[in-house]
Amino acid sequence: MSPSPSSSAAKDAPPPLPEPLRVAVADSHTHLDMQAGSVEEGLAKAASVGVTTVVQVGCDVKGSRWAAETAAAHPNVHAAVALHPNEAPRIVLGDPDGWSRQGARAGGGEGALDDALAEIEALAALGHVKAVGETGLDYFRTGPEGMAAQERSFRAHIEIAKRQGKALVIHDRDAHADVLRVLREEGAPERTVFHCYSGDAEMARECAAAGYYMSFAGTVTFKNAAPLREALAVAPLELVLVETDAPYLTPAPYRGRPNAPYLIPLTVRAMAAVRGIDEDAMATALAANTARAFDY
Ligand SMILES: [Zn+2]
Ligand SMILES: [Zn+2]
């Protein structure tokens, strides 16, 4: 039997507003440009439940420009700029399905990557751009042919973050050991954030020893995410952040429906339960940590 139209409509419907937080927090990683509705609507909805600040993350040159412009126009939006780990190989090798939507393009080679990196560095120098990222390694979506370009891009982003004195936002998918190795080899910037942290408790101890921030997404609410909750339980509270990565990773019980910054309270409550502290204490720590990590 195929699903009835009403059940598929419900699946695409935005989840209801959660009960507001009493202590305001920041969504440390979101993609407003990939969400339905205007930026103003999204920010107002988030603020109505105590999510008063967001970090808008660019994934390619065009998206990074947009992030910088959006941050310039909204005092509570901060920008992060980068070529996503899956974007760098597309620039070098070419890929008609690239998310820049710039149409089919031939592979531009390493020169094209250097040109794009120069644009990212110019954006990173702007005052309202607080971070370089998301960058890192993604072995889930990028195959062996793209790994060299991906690692070269990651190393270049680390250098940009250090030169510009900005935070570094890491995307690490199925690549924990290599991400940690590259950070060690290059020397991590003073402030480094693992976005959508996906390691276990052992890796959390390693991140803690290096002073890396760990940003937890809706995945921490998923039933099958016990290792993630064990990581959150051992991470030093002062290194813990919260994010949506919206429109992806919608927290339970709305998994599969569109995510947006206004759903952060669901994740904050789940995190407070894991830590065994009350919601206000969790939110207070998250707010202070995000401001420190991104220096705003
Ligand atoms: Zn990511
Ligand atoms: Zn992201």
Side-chain angles (χ1 to χ4, degrees):
M1 221 177 83
S2 59
S4 70
S6 63
S7 74
S8 83
K11 222 194 146 326
D12 297 334
L17 276 175
E19 196 190 310
L21 295 169
R22 289 176 295 266
V23 176
V25 300
D27 180 349
S28 87
H29 188 112
T30 196
H31 302 283
L32 294 168
D33 49 334
M34 302 179 196
Q35 296 162 33
S38 71
V39 168
E40 289 70 22
E41 285 163 359
L43 294 176
K45 210 169 165 184
S48 77
V49 294
V51 183
T52 51
T53 305
V54 307
V55 179
Q56 166 64 25
V57 180
C59 293
D60 57 15
V61 170
K62 197 166 149 246
S64 294
R65 268 192 216 120
W66 190 87
E69 283 162 15
T70 304
H74 301 275
N76 293 336
V77 177
H78 305 294
V81 297
L83 311 174
H84 191 280
N86 295 324
E87 173 69 6
R90 283 181 196 130
I91 293 172
V92 175
L93 304 170
D95 177 357
D97 297 323
W99 58 27
S100 301
R101 304 277 175 257
Q102 287 158 350
R105 66 188 159 191
E110 305 225 324
L113 181 57
D114 289 336
D115 292 348
L117 287 166
E119 294 212 45
I120 294 299
E121 176 142 24
L123 291 169
L126 299 171
H128 42 276
V129 174
K130 299 297 184 188
V132 174
E134 56 187 291
T135 182
L137 301 173
D138 186 323
Y139 293 166
F140 182 77
R141 294 225 180 272
T142 292
E145 73 289 346
M147 280 181 184
Q150 193 173 76
E151 185 167 324
R152 193 162 90 77
S153 176
F154 181 24
R155 289 180 189 274
H157 281 85
I158 296 171
E159 284 174 26
I160 293 170
K162 289 199 283 192
R163 271 199 299 271
Q164 300 299 333
K166 303 295 164 94
L168 182 73
V169 174
I170 302 282
H171 169 104
D172 160 24
R173 190 152 183 201
D174 296 350
H176 304 324
D178 282 350
V179 166
L180 292 169
R181 173 182 56 80
V182 171
L183 285 171
R184 262 194 316 271
E185 287 171 3
E186 292 292 327
E190 214 172 294
R191 292 167 288 117
T192 295
V193 177
F194 275 71
H195 117 75
C196 188
Y197 179 81
S198 59
D200 59 7
E202 192 192 326
M203 180 170 159
R205 288 192 189 93
E206 208 172 321
C207 288
Y212 302 153
Y213 290 89
M214 290 161 265
S215 182
F216 288 83
T219 41
V220 78
T221 70
F222 294 176
K223 221 181 193 140
N224 61 356
L228 201 50
R229 286 186 285 274
E230 287 159 19
L232 172 59
V234 303
L237 185 59
E238 67 272 17
L239 292 179
V240 171
L241 308 182
V242 67
E243 67 173 73
T244 55
D245 200 18
Y248 313 110
L249 307 178
T250 313
Y254 303 112
R255 202 173 164 178
R257 286 167 67 175
N259 199 7
Y262 77 90
L263 293 171
I264 280 278
L266 298 170
T267 307
V268 172
R269 285 178 186 126
M271 291 170 71
V274 168
R275 300 289 305 207
I277 61 177
D278 76 53
E279 180 186 316
D280 293 357
M282 188 78 232
T284 301
L286 291 167
N289 296 348
T290 315
R292 195 180 339 107
F294 291 95
D295 191 26
Y296 59 75

